[in-house]
Amino acid sequence: MFRMTIAAVCVWAMSCAARADDPAVRAGIDLTLRQMEAAAEAGDRDGWLAAVAHGDPEWTKEQTYFANDLKKKPAADLMLSLGELAVTDGAATGDLTFAWTMPEKGERTVAFGARFVLEDGQWRYAGETWEKHEAAGVVVLCDPGLDELAGRVVEAFTNVRSKVDSFFGHDGTGFTSRTQKIKLYRSMKHLQQSICLSYEDSLGGWNEPDESIKLLSNARTGLKALERLLAHEYGHVATFAVGPKANDVMPWWVLEGVAELSAEANSGQRGPEGRVESWARMGNLAEWKELADFETFDKRWYGHVYTQGHHMLKYIDSRWKQEGRNKWLRSMGQGKSIDEASREVFGLSFEELNTDWRATLPAKEEAKPVEPKKEESRSGG
Ligand SMILES: [Zn+2]
């Protein structure tokens, strides 16, 4: 008994001590990195996923999104380089640099501390070496040295969570009581890279079904800004929870519009009226179908997805109240199209709903004749 205890302690001590670069471990991880590079360049979804760790379901989900995107948009080139490794029992960490080029684009690079774990005899990529901050109902993952920021994120999430839950008609059971994971990215390029290699639009946060919430934030990001980001991103979590088909059926502008409405109602973000009324006067409102598909939309409508969507959702709330809006969302969450859901809940086709909404906005103004401009001397700057 005594001897076994000693032996067990010795094994524990040996395996837990971090060791310097171990050639066998490095060789195993190098194989994995080459596998990831080849998969990214070949658009090989399954090859990428075979190189990724599967112990954490949210990480698997995030990497599945990443790999699905690679299949649609393979990288022209990906080079992964790894700095010195620290190895503990079953895990290795080191600075990892992603350097990649998408077809006809310039090279992009992102570097961060990365972790690899031994699963089924292979070293697999397990993402960033986050520091973990746990509190009731929430865990914040971030780079080391951001304790104060992590504390503010916990406070901001606690301030908005129950408001967002009730805004979407969730009753405090099921998903509302589970632990929400929030990852903090200090640079936009790192947040973009974490989504997929092709992602290049500006963003402040990200959430997809069964993924962590991801936020762009740094040591100076204040409580109010975090509340706005979280009322939007957790608004997505709450939307996906209205029904299993929510993310497949709802047009993109509905997903973003209701998240923006959640941010306005639950964190004091500004309303959409000024911008949308001005678009209406300029004849610059988008057709809804232009705002429906995240994969194929014209970039000129990016702002409209959020703000015009927000305006329509606010109109629906004012006319049918929160309860009517949530019934409409739940109907789409069960797989009904936006037209079917509008007929079922509002007694209107979607086209009729659009006509009623448009009638609340100013008419298009005739363009004023442009005065001929005098030639001006140009100054540098
Ligand atoms: Zn969003």
Side-chain angles (χ1 to χ4, degrees), residues 205-207 232-233 236 252 255-256 259-260 306:
W206 177 264
N207 182 252
H232 178 106
E233 298 304 333
H236 286 315
W252 184 30
L255 293 167
E256 297 303 348
E260 287 291 90
Y306 291 75

Side-chain angles (χ1 to χ4, degrees), residues 91-138:
T93 56
D95 290 332
L96 179 64
T97 303
F98 271 67
W100 75 101
T101 314
M102 299 305 291
E104 290 155 43
K105 306 261 176 167
E107 192 189 58
R108 293 158 73 190
T109 58
V110 175
F112 51 86
R115 215 163 64 89
F116 297 81
V117 295
L118 200 51
E119 271 182 18
D120 306 325
Q122 190 192 334
W123 285 98
R124 292 173 207 261
Y125 174 52
E128 286 81 355
T129 50
W130 300 115
E131 201 171 80
K132 212 185 231 190
H133 297 260
E134 291 180 89
V138 55

